[in-house]
Amino acid sequence: MLEQIVSGIHTRLYARAYIVADPSQDSNRFVFVNLDACMASQAVTLGVIERLKVEFADMYTERNVAISGIHTHSGPGGYLQYVLYDITSLGFVEQSWEAVVSGIVESIRRAHANIKPGKLRINSGELLDANANRSPSAYLHNPEDERARYKHNTDKIMTQLSVTNSEGKGTGAISWFPVHCTSINNTNDLISGDNKGVASQFLEKWAAKQSTTGSSHPKGPTATGSSQNKGPTATGSSQNEGPTGNGQAEVQLAEGFVAAFGQANVGDTSPNIQGAFCQDTGLPCEDHSLCNGRNKLCIARGPAWPDNFRSNEIIAQRQADKAQQLLTSATEEVSGPIDFRHAFLDMTGIDVREGPNTRAGRTCPAAMGFSFAAGTTDGPGAFDFKQGDTKGSLFWKVVGHFLHNPTAAQTSCQAPKPILLDTGNAHIPYEWQPSIVEIQILRVGQFVILCVPGELTTMAGRRLREAMQVQVQPSWGNVTLVIAGLTNTYSSYVTTYEEYQAQRYEGASTIFGPHTLDAYIQEFSRLADDMMQGRPTQSGPTPPNMIKNQWSFLPPVIIDTAPMGSHFGSVTHDVLKTPYDVNDTVSVTFQSACPRNNVRTGDTFLAVQKLQQDTGEWSTVYTDDDISTKFHWQRPHMLSSESTATVTWKIPEGSEDGTYMIWNYGDYKHLTGGTVPFTGHSSAFTVGQPKSVFWKLMSQVRQKLRWIAV
């Protein structure tokens, strides 16, 4: 949304890289990067591969590197190279692109330097009350006998691949589960990893405590404790056959445990499990997700509605709890070869053959339907668009035709989708959506990752997994298959043929037409067959690199100023003088400057520091990475060169009593164009009971007076 402009930080975003390598053949390895971003980007992938080739030659290429986005809707925009995906960020934002590319490369570099012998384990289990289907009416278009095979209309299984080192200590885990990262909806203006980013934080903090105490028994992830910037780690490949099953395992954890929560067939899933309700009446939304005929007021509710941040923590905690349970009970060791296949696909005209898992048809150049503009119940669109629209309106057809008037062949190919934006045939100022995408299969033993360049719906993912399972079973035996969504390239949604007929948001956003899923099944089958036969895979057509063609309308920072008599870092609103308690919120406002001057990668805009009574030194206990803090930047009006930053800290359960202070770090831009760092801090304040004899005496007096009053 154009009005959703970032103004601060809820949590930091990370790239977590895992390398699986064969010690007997050094070049036989693959990389899986779990990226705290809305999606992978072809522009980012091309940039990452280019830099990796400079540093590592042909060790890491597009063939064996997978970059998968968690799909947070509260991340930065402007890092994709296609017009449609950068409109809301006012075009391409080089600063965003550079931060994502350099962060991924650094994560792979650290993982590469940390490769050690180890083992992999697989585990899976059911997780309820963490996702819901936001398009159940479209799901019902799937055949009844197919639906009858499944208990739920979303996948409820979390699948985990965990890593232990040669000492038997856990060093990391990736846990795939399908749920949109829209717990914090489009009313939010803070950078956040949403539920999967926070789940990583919860599990990593729990692991850090276990590695310190040496305990191997579950105690539950926690949101308390100091925030640490954790570098990604690498994994070793498993070489030994191990027992299977889900019995309790004794697990010791190493320091620096890296927990990733991967995205799966997320297309029609939502974390807002209470369902969609009208904001004005409180009643459930009407058909097509409308309220009195309009979509704007139909909003889905999370488990702690109306507190979206609390809802986010609940969904994150449920994922973290399940991942912890899987980690501590995993016994099935991975055994077998490492292999990978990759191919670029021109999706504008793939002929799909009739087969056991596919229907005959042909894909189309990209186009977006009317229901795309309606948005979803996780984030409604604008104007009078509605989901499930198979006709469109004359007015908006005329508007859409200014971009490109779809031909009769394109209209027929995309039917029953009424075309709002004929993006595949729009080339001004450059391409609006991709024509060439990429698919990938990563295999280690009996564990297989299917990397897809979009958002598959629940049933679409089931069909792809089932088709692959049937195909590879004779050669590989029973394998565990996971779908890694939004990987390497982003090309919107993938529904089943039947769901496409409903033309809800997901169907309208299935850009290559009704046969998209069947095309992917056919092409994944080709890659799997190449793997089983041990033959190379044709790479396919090379996608365009349009980085140098990008337009941007985001204005630069010209200058930062502070009011007369003030200075950068000075406090304009200080802490209270009275003591705070657990669950209170401390708030401090500083005279500040635009955060775009320095995004402080690997650093922080704030710190909560605690006075150490024994040494008299201040130590940082929280940064802007922790969910207990928020950094919010604002200015009086859009053209003002003055600005402030408000830091809030909700004191978590388990915080130690003592004396604290809040800091703000930033950089201001002066008229000559350079930047200058600054800092500022609040007054010291007290949490809980101060330790002085005088305070204890006064506390006893107050208690006696309170008893007398009673």
Side-chain angles (χ1 to χ4, degrees):
M1 295 179 65
L2 284 168
E3 62 267 31
Q4 191 180 11
I5 301 173
V6 65
S7 66
I9 293 178
H10 171 233
T11 62
R12 286 265 165 177
L13 306 181
Y14 287 89
R16 294 173 170 88
Y18 301 77
I19 299 176
V20 180
D22 184 346
S24 65
Q25 187 179 352
D26 193 51
S27 62
N28 192 21
R29 59 179 62 199
F30 65 75
V31 184
F32 185 87
V33 179
N34 205 65
L35 181 66
D36 289 353
C38 191
M39 67 280 286
S41 152
Q42 196 171 75
V44 166
T45 302
L46 291 171
V48 168
I49 297 302
E50 183 178 304
R51 296 187 189 183
L52 290 176
K53 286 183 178 179
V54 171
E55 189 166 346
F56 299 103
D58 292 331
M59 182 169 287
Y60 302 117
T61 70
E62 65 276 355
R63 296 177 59 245
N64 64 344
V65 175
I67 304 169
S68 180
I70 65 170
H71 206 35
T72 173
H73 284 48
S74 293
Y79 62 93
L80 292 91
Q81 67 171 353
Y82 295 98
V83 174
L84 184 67
Y85 299 136
D86 283 345
I87 287 177
T88 57
S89 56
L90 301 180
F92 185 74
V93 181
E94 186 174 2
Q95 188 177 45
S96 295
W97 177 85
E98 177 59 37
V100 176
V101 170
S102 59
I104 294 170
V105 171
E106 177 61 21
S107 73
I108 295 173
R109 184 182 294 121
R110 294 185 190 182
H112 177 84
N114 195 34
I115 291 178
K116 299 174 182 176
K119 294 182 179 181
L120 300 175
R121 288 186 174 87
I122 305 170
N123 205 355
S124 62
E126 186 177 63
L127 173 57
L128 303 177
D129 298 325
N131 66 9
N133 195 307
R134 69 184 187 188
S135 287
S137 60
Y139 180 86
L140 290 174
H141 277 65
N142 293 307
E144 184 178 358
D145 60 340
E146 183 180 36
R147 289 185 280 112
R149 292 161 47 199
Y150 302 98
K151 184 177 180 181
H152 304 284
N153 62 4
T154 59
D155 281 346
K156 304 293 185 180
I157 300 299
M158 175 180 283
T159 302
Q160 183 183 88
L161 182 68
S162 59
V163 189
T164 57
N165 60 23
S166 58
E167 299 174 354
K169 293 184 177 181
T171 59
I174 314 173
S175 304
W176 284 270
F177 181 77
V179 60
H180 255 86
C181 286
T182 49
S183 291
I184 309 173
N185 63 23
N186 58 11
T187 61
N188 172 53
D189 61 0
L190 301 180
I191 292 289
S192 176
D194 208 270
N195 57 67
K196 288 190 180 292
V198 172
S200 290
Q201 186 177 130
F202 284 171
L203 191 60
E204 287 174 348
K205 286 185 174 183
W206 167 79
K209 287 188 174 182
Q210 307 313 304
S211 67
T212 301
T213 63
S215 171
S216 61
H217 300 291
K219 293 184 178 179
T222 176
T224 65
S226 63
S227 175
Q228 302 179 38
N229 292 326
K230 300 180 185 294
T233 186
T235 76
S237 63
S238 173
Q239 299 299 311
N240 299 319
E241 184 96 35
T244 60
N246 292 317
Q248 187 70 26
E250 189 72 14
V251 176
Q252 299 291 326
L253 301 179
E255 291 184 10
F257 186 94
V258 178
F261 285 81
Q263 197 54 272
N265 47 329
V266 64
D268 51 0
T269 68
S270 171
N272 299 307
I273 57 178
Q274 288 195 47
F277 294 84
C278 295
Q279 296 293 89
D280 53 348
T281 65
L283 298 174
C285 299
E286 304 161 6
D287 291 341
H288 304 299
S289 302
L290 299 175
C291 296
N292 294 319
R294 305 297 296 271
N295 64 45
K296 199 71 174 177
L297 294 177
C298 180
I299 307 290
R301 298 178 178 180
W305 182 86
D307 187 341
N308 291 334
F309 284 96
R310 179 60 189 141
S311 290
N312 183 62
E313 291 177 26
I314 292 171
I315 298 299
Q317 189 77 68
R318 289 172 182 172
Q319 290 180 81
D321 286 346
K322 174 54 67 172
Q324 178 194 320
Q325 179 188 350
L326 297 178
L327 180 67
T328 56
S329 63
T331 57
E332 180 184 349
E333 289 190 9
V334 176
S335 171
I338 293 172
D339 200 0
F340 45 85
R341 289 293 188 278
H342 171 278
F344 292 111
L345 307 176
D346 183 347
M347 291 293 290
T348 60
I350 292 179
D351 289 311
V352 183
R353 300 177 298 276
E354 182 81 26
N357 302 296
T358 56
R359 72 174 66 221
R362 185 178 174 86
T363 59
C364 325
M368 304 297 283
F370 272 67
S371 296
F372 149 75
T376 74
T377 55
D378 288 337
F383 305 107
D384 57 347
F385 293 100
K386 65 180 181 180
Q387 294 202 60
D389 189 348
T390 57
K391 297 180 179 179
S393 68
L394 178 61
F395 173 79
W396 287 112
K397 284 182 179 179
V398 172
V399 171
H401 290 182
F402 276 106
L403 175 65
H404 186 271
N405 188 11
T407 63
Q410 172 75 326
T411 301
S412 174
C413 185
Q414 291 278 353
K417 177 196 293 179
I419 297 174
L420 175 64
L421 300 174
D422 190 18
T423 52
N425 293 302
H427 312 295
I428 298 175
Y430 40 89
E431 304 303 310
W432 277 62
Q433 280 186 300
S435 297
I436 299 173
V437 302
E438 53 196 292
I439 60 173
Q440 193 174 35
I441 301 178
L442 308 176
R443 179 196 175 197
V444 51
Q446 73 271 34
F447 193 83
V448 180
I449 306 172
L450 306 175
C451 301
V452 297
E455 304 176 54
L456 273 68
T457 60
T458 298
M459 194 63 84
R462 288 169 176 171
R463 289 185 187 178
L464 176 59
R465 284 198 308 263
E466 182 177 8
M468 292 300 98
Q469 186 75 256
V470 170
Q471 181 176 357
V472 303
Q473 201 276 334
S475 296
W476 299 347
N478 292 324
V479 297
T480 297
L481 285 155
V482 295
I483 289 172
L486 308 109
T487 301
N488 294 331
T489 302
Y490 184 66
S491 56
S492 297
Y493 283 74
V494 182
T495 65
T496 66
Y497 179 88
E498 294 84 357
E499 291 166 346
Y500 187 89
Q501 310 306 307
Q503 279 300 295
R504 281 184 62 84
Y505 176 83
E506 296 81 14
S509 302
T510 297
I511 64 176
F512 300 120
H515 299 287
T516 301
L517 173 62
D518 294 308
Y520 279 131
I521 291 175
Q522 175 178 284
E523 297 306 306
F524 268 105
S525 177
R526 175 171 63 89
L527 264 62
D529 191 55
D530 287 344
M531 295 177 79
M532 290 187 294
Q533 300 301 325
R535 60 176 177 249
T537 295
Q538 294 183 354
S539 60
T542 303
N545 188 337
M546 301 185 294
I547 293 298
K548 294 181 180 179
N549 303 331
Q550 297 296 303
W551 288 21
S552 178
F553 298 96
L554 182 69
V557 180
I558 305 299
I559 188 175
D560 294 292
T561 62
M564 188 71 69
S566 183
H567 60 85
F568 293 104
S570 62
V571 176
T572 64
H573 175 78
D574 208 352
V575 297
L576 301 177
K577 295 182 179 179
T578 54
Y580 292 88
D581 206 347
V582 167
N583 292 323
D584 287 344
T585 298
V586 185
S587 178
V588 188
T589 301
F590 299 89
Q591 196 66 49
S592 196
C594 184
R596 287 168 56 202
N597 294 329
N598 181 355
V599 297
R600 310 187 77 80
T601 301
D603 203 345
T604 182
F605 285 100
L606 67 89
V608 178
Q609 294 190 342
K610 183 178 183 297
L611 179 64
Q612 303 302 315
Q613 296 291 340
D614 52 345
T615 64
E617 296 181 350
W618 292 88
S619 62
T620 298
V621 291
Y622 296 98
T623 67
D624 61 17
D625 180 54
D626 195 84
I627 64 168
S628 67
T629 65
K630 290 186 177 72
F631 173 81
H632 199 120
W633 177 78
Q634 57 273 321
R635 54 186 175 182
H637 56 83
M638 187 174 67
L639 299 179
S640 176
S641 59
E642 297 178 5
S643 62
T644 58
T646 299
V647 176
T648 60
W649 176 44
K650 185 175 181 181
I651 304 171
E653 296 281 350
S655 296
E656 294 181 356
D657 293 352
T659 303
Y660 291 80
M661 186 183 293
I662 290 179
W663 287 76
N664 173 218
Y665 307 103
D667 297 79
Y668 68 87
K669 192 170 188 178
H670 50 69
L671 193 57
T672 61
T675 58
V676 179
F678 68 86
T679 62
H681 64 80
S682 71
S683 300
F685 60 93
T686 300
V687 173
Q689 301 180 359
K691 305 305 181 184
S692 68
V693 175
F694 174 75
W695 194 95
K696 291 180 179 179
L697 178 62
M698 292 303 297
S699 178
Q700 293 173 1
V701 171
R702 284 200 300 270
Q703 290 292 337
K704 290 181 179 178
L705 289 175
R706 186 178 296 116
W707 179 82
I708 292 172
V710 172

